[in-house]
Amino acid sequence: MKGFAIISILFFSLALTWQTNPRREVADLVLLNCAVWTVNPAQPWAEAVAIKEDKILEAGSSQEIKRMIGDSTQVIDLKGDMVLPGFIDSHTHFLDGGFSLLGIRLRDAESREEFITKIADKAKKIEKGVWILDGDWDHQSFDPPELPRKEWIDPATLHNPVCVNRYDGHMVLVNSLALKLAGVTKDTHSPAGGEILKDSETGEPTGILKDAAMNLVTKHIPEPSFREKLKAAEVALKHAAEKGVTSIHDMANADNFEVYQELLRLNKLTARLYVYIPITEVELYARLKLKTPFGNNLLKIGGLKGFVDGSLGSSTALFFDPYTDNPRKKGLLHSQMFPEGIMEKRIIQAEKAGLQVAIHAIGDRANSILLDIFERIIAQSEKRDRRWRIEHAQHLLPGDIERIASLDIIASVQPYHAIDDGRWAERKIGRKRCQYTYAFKSLLEKGAVLACGSDWTVAPLDPIGGIYAAVTRQTLDGKHPEGWFPEQKISLEEAVKGYTLNGAYAEFSENMKGSVEKGKVADLVVLSRNIFKIPPDEIQKTEVKMTILNGKIIYKK
Ligand SMILES: [Zn+2]
């Protein structure tokens, strides 16, 4: 009887506490006085956020959140700064990004002379025999635009093999020493899916190798050591945190996984990594009966990444009609499309194993070929939540925009490319095809999901710059102040969603992250200005002031 009384009293007092203080949960960290755009349609705006351990306890009014402050709570007054969910970059080549931060940078070379000087300077600083790599050059920035040649750099690089890539990764310039090491001469034929550019008079290789032809040389480049890779990953992670990026989709270099595992073990992963593996490995997945996503909230194996074609800048993106600036060319199928039918076979294997695929398609014909494959497979299979993705979905036939939406394919797009390529795309493919180039608005109108990314190192790892690009479409040369094909601009809300919740959706994690919502992981970014209250062309001046991952501050300006 006595016991019962005690229990009753206990219950009574518990009930009382519950009533008088419905949520006396104490936060570890509270952000006050901020403008939070939550990306949660049920409650789009909040003034404050409470965090406990790695989760969001609540987002709401300052009054509500203040009740969660206890003796041990860290309180940060943001004085009106903007808070968004941590950015998710849905397409990166993450480790390459780290190496590019460490290596030679040719992206800002604006002339032949500057290009040569930068390479010559590098050669002076390194030992004989060491390769000069990376670079990310852009010949469209040269005045006049012209492809570099091996003769430009040979005199300064007699003892160092050179293999520097165009920023899109679809062509490289190599020097004579590298050609010699690779055994490539005027008699070497271009491989399927690639091209060795040759001088029209002498027949000698010019030093430019496109797509599959790049392998002729790149296979001779010594692998970086594990330590070098770790270093590159750490530099890349630091850079991501500075840009407010808390989640990364890494495109398909299986060798990177070991590095990420080691960083996980060392507790040094400051971004969540969702890693794609090349589709050529589909058999291995099937053998392991691996169901993806596989892993934990910091490191996951996602789906399979494949390629249908090349890139616009390298004239290897595959179109139905010839290039406007080169009527003999329509682009190339990627080597992964050979032997014929192999891509479809691999995607069928992926379907049978229940896997996600993310396939690169840039030209209109490449996108059509891929959608045909997807359509055939989906029609013959059971209904399921596939979340298959087209990476880039760059140049589309109007009918294919509809197909992307109706087949529930995610368009994994890179808005920054639009303001970059918009400088010269019309010259390459003409005005008509450009109407459905980076057709973000049309895709949204038809109901497709846009997951936004950078394609770093092709473009900067910088979601703010990407959001700016998507809402303004102002090309980098300042020649389109109203926007390049302004009818394809999207709203700020859609752009932010593309870099947050839609990125989470594209990796089956929308219940875990992507919005500032009770119970989701506390991944947040604090911005210097409320981007919803400034003219769109000022968005790019916004700075990242703080980045929070799992409730911990990983970057502070
Ligand atoms: Zn890419």
Side-chain angles (χ1 to χ4, degrees), residues 285-299:
Y285 272 73
R287 229 171 39 240
L288 290 172
K289 305 240 184 303
L290 194 65
K291 293 282 172 279
T292 59
F294 176 83
N296 63 28
N297 283 348
L298 276 174
L299 180 57

Side-chain angles (χ1 to χ4, degrees), residues 26 42 58 71 93 105 150 221 236 243 253 292-293 318 325 329 349 377 416 428 466 475 490:
V26 178
E58 196 69 72
D71 295 339
H93 302 270
R105 289 200 225 182
K150 67 179 193 305
I221 300 170
K243 296 294 179 183
N253 187 336
T292 59
L318 187 67
D325 65 346
K329 285 202 176 140
Q349 280 176 292
I377 298 174
Y416 187 89
K428 281 203 94 79
T475 50
I490 63 173

Side-chain angles (χ1 to χ4, degrees), residues 5-15:
I6 290 172
I7 289 171
S8 314
I9 290 167
L10 207 76
F11 262 111
F12 183 68
S13 47
L14 263 177

